[in-house]
Amino acid sequence: MPDYTPPAPKSERILNAAEELFALHGFDGVTLRGIATAAGVDVALLNYHFGVKKKLFEVVFMRRAEILNEARLNALLEAEASSGGRPSLEQIVSAFLRPIQRFQLTGDEGWRNYLALVGWVNSSSVWGEEMMHKSFDPLVARFIEALKKNMPDADPQRIYWAYQFFSGALTLTLAQTGRIGRLSDGLCRESDVETVYDLMIPFVVAGFRKLCMEHPEGGA
Amino acid sequence: MPDYTPPAPKSERILNAAEELFALHGFDGVTLRGIATAAGVDVALLNYHFGVKKKLFEVVFMRRAEILNEARLNALLEAEASSGGRPSLEQIVSAFLRPIQRFQLTGDEGWRNYLALVGWVNSSSVWGEEMMHKSFDPLVARFIEALKKNMPDADPQRIYWAYQFFSGALTLTLAQTGRIGRLSDGLCRESDVETVYDLMIPFVVAGFRKLCMEHPEGGA
DNA sequence: GATAATTTTCAACACTTGTTGAATTCATCA
DNA sequence: TGATGAATTCAACAAGTGTTGAAAATTATC
């Protein structure tokens, strides 16, 4: 047989199909047969490679989490290095967001699906908690540390709450619900990745400033 | 039989149980039998009263939407009246949030469940769009109108995006994932309804100001 | 108190679900 | 080539799914 680009191994095709479907319909809205059909493989293969359904979901979720975490950490470290250990608020928030934007801009559909999935999990009450905690919270804690260092006089509670609002703004955008497009009658497109972070960063930074820097610790 | 407070009619018990379970597990994560058991009724009764499963979900979702919409609209009208038709940004954002807070503060578990459900639907890609559009977007459009009037020089696109971030921050908090509590090691509690909106309002207002008032129309 | 209408239960349907064990194909290498 | 182990398919399972029609119980109406 002449050399040709071999098709992705079936285990990978399963993960890609699962990624897309889970992002679209959530855990319970997807059937193993649906994934198998989308991947063009037999149902039993899912169990052979990944065990039970929940385990498959975890593998999908973890697959890109480490890559994203590493990219974010590097961005933060670089911001710290280039600022003599005193990164600005903009730099910290950017280090959290720009890697996401970079992955989205590659045009890789897998990343788009995955990030929508993260948005879904983050808003999911029962499911999300443990999975987000295991895969993202260590890095988030590192970012919050940087925020605390940047605003040493701020009430820590306010920093956490501001991060919560920040996380919500990001999460909804990742989820790709299409609602803002409909609401703005096409004026805003969630797929417009080039501009959304240029807007999200100043929005969030202003919120942090207002909440954490205009009240000394202990203030109401 | 002596007079006593009669139990809620079974159709209502069904709606309450469905509300709680849908909020917790989403549409596909809930079975009709699970709802029936929680409500203490037979499965067939769900179909008798509400038709197919999707219809039941819609009834649950719409039930309190109108009440919330009316409360929000009244709050906005009052803010407009008390300011001579020129409500401040704080007043507009507060009119959007304070009614939610008021319902949460009643301690009515039904409202807490319902609002978590709204958070879930708003982040749900396939499901959410149409339902949010039908039940909430008319009122949201009214609020955006007020925002445009408050910031007549702002690029409308920026107003919509700022609303998107605003909506995300609110949505994640409504979803009651418990994540911020875990992340802050108990310092922040999502159930602390008294303070969360006191923080969300200035955060969001600052974001709106930064995004919409520091750039004249047409600015990048 | 008989009749009609509504509400609730019972039992079951056709179908889909996740999962599994045995059989089959494929690749690797002595 | 033949043997070994992994990858893949086949067929089927037991359990659970939404949904329904007919019977029974309850409530309303005259």
Side-chain angles (χ1 to χ4, degrees):
Chain A
M1 226 175 282
D3 57 352
Y4 73 119
T5 55
K10 297 199 170 183
S11 65
E12 224 173 284
R13 301 228 313 267
I14 293 172
L15 289 179
N16 292 337
E19 190 171 57
E20 179 178 354
L21 290 175
F22 280 141
L24 234 59
H25 305 106
F27 180 78
D28 292 303
V30 171
T31 73
L32 295 183
R33 282 175 177 81
I35 297 173
T37 301
V41 304
D42 191 274
V43 207
L45 205 54
L46 277 64
N47 252 282
Y48 173 74
H49 277 299
F50 305 105
V52 302
K53 186 183 181 186
K54 190 170 180 176
K55 191 73 190 168
L56 167 62
F57 187 91
E58 284 180 16
V59 172
V60 168
F61 193 77
M62 300 294 181
R63 180 167 62 147
R64 300 186 201 260
E66 296 167 23
I67 303 173
L68 179 56
N69 280 337
E70 193 186 326
R72 278 172 155 174
L73 181 58
N74 284 339
L76 181 59
L77 291 174
E78 194 175 334
E80 289 176 336
S82 72
S83 63
R86 298 246 164 242
S88 68
L89 211 47
E90 285 87 349
Q91 285 180 304
I92 297 172
V93 172
S94 295
F96 199 75
L97 293 179
R98 293 296 186 192
I100 293 181
Q101 182 184 33
R102 232 177 32 239
F103 287 126
Q104 288 176 325
L105 284 175
T106 61
D108 182 352
E109 197 132 336
W111 271 104
R112 219 199 52 201
N113 291 331
Y114 174 74
L115 291 168
L117 179 62
V118 172
W120 190 86
V121 172
N122 195 38
S123 306
S124 166
S125 9
V126 176
W127 258 91
E129 200 187 341
E130 192 187 345
M131 207 161 293
M132 292 298 294
H133 182 69
K134 272 205 317 193
S135 45
F136 285 119
D137 278 0
L139 183 86
V140 170
R142 177 68 178 79
F143 268 85
I144 288 184
E145 199 182 313
L147 289 169
K148 285 181 180 170
K149 198 173 167 190
N150 178 276
M151 304 174 285
D153 295 332
D155 181 355
Q157 196 177 343
R158 285 169 172 262
I159 294 183
Y160 282 110
W161 274 116
Y163 170 77
Q164 161 95 340
F165 304 148
F166 174 22
S167 175
L170 172 60
T171 290
L172 182 59
T173 301
L174 292 180
Q176 301 263 22
T177 65
R179 184 154 176 250
I180 189 68
R182 202 165 178 174
L183 195 63
S184 70
D185 205 21
L187 195 63
C188 304
R189 291 174 298 111
E190 262 162 342
S191 57
D192 185 8
V193 179
E194 280 99 357
T195 71
V196 56
Y197 295 102
D198 291 344
L199 300 177
M200 195 187 297
I201 291 170
F203 184 96
V204 169
V205 167
F208 265 105
R209 285 234 168 78
K210 178 72 181 175
L211 220 61
C212 304
M213 297 179 77
E214 295 190 10
H215 292 75
E217 182 150 13
Chain B
M1 227 176 281
D3 57 352
Y4 73 118
T5 55
K10 296 199 170 183
S11 65
E12 224 173 284
R13 300 228 313 268
I14 292 173
L15 289 179
N16 292 337
E19 190 170 57
E20 178 178 353
L21 290 175
F22 281 140
L24 235 59
H25 304 106
F27 180 78
D28 293 303
V30 171
T31 74
L32 295 182
R33 283 175 176 81
I35 297 173
T37 302
V41 305
D42 189 274
V43 207
L45 206 54
L46 278 63
N47 251 282
Y48 173 75
H49 277 298
F50 305 105
V52 300
K53 186 183 180 186
K54 188 170 180 176
K55 191 74 190 166
L56 168 62
F57 187 90
E58 283 179 18
V59 173
V60 168
F61 194 77
M62 300 294 181
R63 180 166 61 148
R64 300 187 201 257
E66 296 166 24
I67 304 172
L68 179 56
N69 279 337
E70 194 185 326
R72 278 173 155 174
L73 180 60
N74 284 339
L76 180 60
L77 291 174
E78 195 175 333
E80 288 176 336
S82 73
S83 63
R86 298 248 163 240
S88 68
L89 211 48
E90 284 87 350
Q91 284 180 303
I92 298 172
V93 172
S94 293
F96 198 76
L97 293 179
R98 293 295 186 193
I100 293 181
Q101 182 184 35
R102 230 177 32 240
F103 286 125
Q104 288 175 325
L105 284 176
T106 62
D108 182 351
E109 196 132 335
W111 272 104
R112 219 199 51 202
N113 290 332
Y114 174 74
L115 291 168
L117 180 61
V118 172
W120 190 87
V121 172
N122 194 38
S123 307
S124 166
S125 8
V126 177
W127 258 90
E129 201 187 341
E130 192 188 345
M131 206 162 294
M132 292 298 294
H133 182 69
K134 272 205 319 194
S135 46
F136 285 118
D137 278 0
L139 183 87
V140 171
R142 178 69 178 79
F143 268 86
I144 288 184
E145 200 182 312
L147 289 169
K148 284 180 180 171
K149 198 173 167 189
N150 179 276
M151 304 175 285
D153 296 331
D155 181 356
Q157 197 177 343
R158 283 169 173 264
I159 293 183
Y160 282 110
W161 274 117
Y163 171 76
Q164 161 93 339
F165 305 147
F166 175 21
S167 175
L170 171 59
T171 291
L172 182 60
T173 302
L174 292 180
Q176 301 262 23
T177 65
R179 184 152 177 252
I180 190 66
R182 203 164 176 174
L183 194 62
S184 69
D185 207 21
L187 196 62
C188 303
R189 290 173 299 110
E190 262 162 342
S191 57
D192 185 7
V193 180
E194 280 98 357
T195 72
V196 57
Y197 295 101
D198 291 345
L199 299 177
M200 195 187 298
I201 291 170
F203 184 96
V204 169
V205 167
F208 265 106
R209 287 234 166 79
K210 178 72 182 175
L211 220 59
C212 305
M213 297 181 76
E214 295 190 11
H215 293 75
E217 182 151 10

